[in-house]
Amino acid sequence: KHFRHYNLDLLREHVSPYFNIDNAEHLLKLGFMKNLIEHLMINRFFILNWKPARRLLKIIYEKFVLKATEKSGSNLAVILSKRR
């Protein structure tokens, strides 16, 4: 595997000749909640089919895991627009 790990400044430096950064968000806060939800939803022992439980996990995921800061996030999502 050969991946380039970017922070916002390095990404801006690399894409600024060709693109404008319209929006940037840090995603997936690392920690206990993320691991717990992943193990409940992605495992080889059972499939969580009960809709209220899935809906509750989705709400918890969106509130506590999805949005992150620069220090706590594992992913960076960026919307770019082409320079004219």
Side-chain angles (χ1 to χ4, degrees):
K1 285 196 279 198
H2 298 285
F3 295 107
R4 180 67 191 249
H5 297 276
Y6 285 97
N7 61 19
L8 191 55
D9 296 328
L10 183 61
L11 183 66
R12 185 176 284 123
E13 179 183 320
H14 281 211
V15 301
S16 64
Y18 313 104
F19 298 98
N20 293 322
I21 296 178
D22 294 337
N23 190 13
E25 289 189 25
H26 292 86
L27 304 174
L28 296 179
K29 196 179 300 181
L30 298 174
F32 173 75
M33 270 308 201
K34 179 183 174 288
N35 292 339
L36 178 66
I37 291 172
E38 280 181 355
H39 281 90
L40 288 173
M41 296 298 291
I42 306 166
N43 63 70
R44 62 187 171 136
F45 301 112
F46 65 91
I47 298 171
L48 190 60
N49 286 328
W50 193 43
K51 259 190 174 171
R54 284 196 332 241
R55 203 172 299 130
L56 178 63
L57 284 176
K58 181 179 178 251
I59 291 168
I60 292 170
Y61 179 81
E62 288 173 348
K63 186 170 183 173
F64 295 107
V65 177
L66 188 60
K67 300 285 183 177
T69 64
E70 185 175 357
K71 294 204 183 266
S72 67
S74 66
N75 294 21
L76 177 63
V78 180
I79 297 175
L80 303 170
S81 60
K82 193 173 181 180
R83 281 193 186 264
R84 296 178 189 247

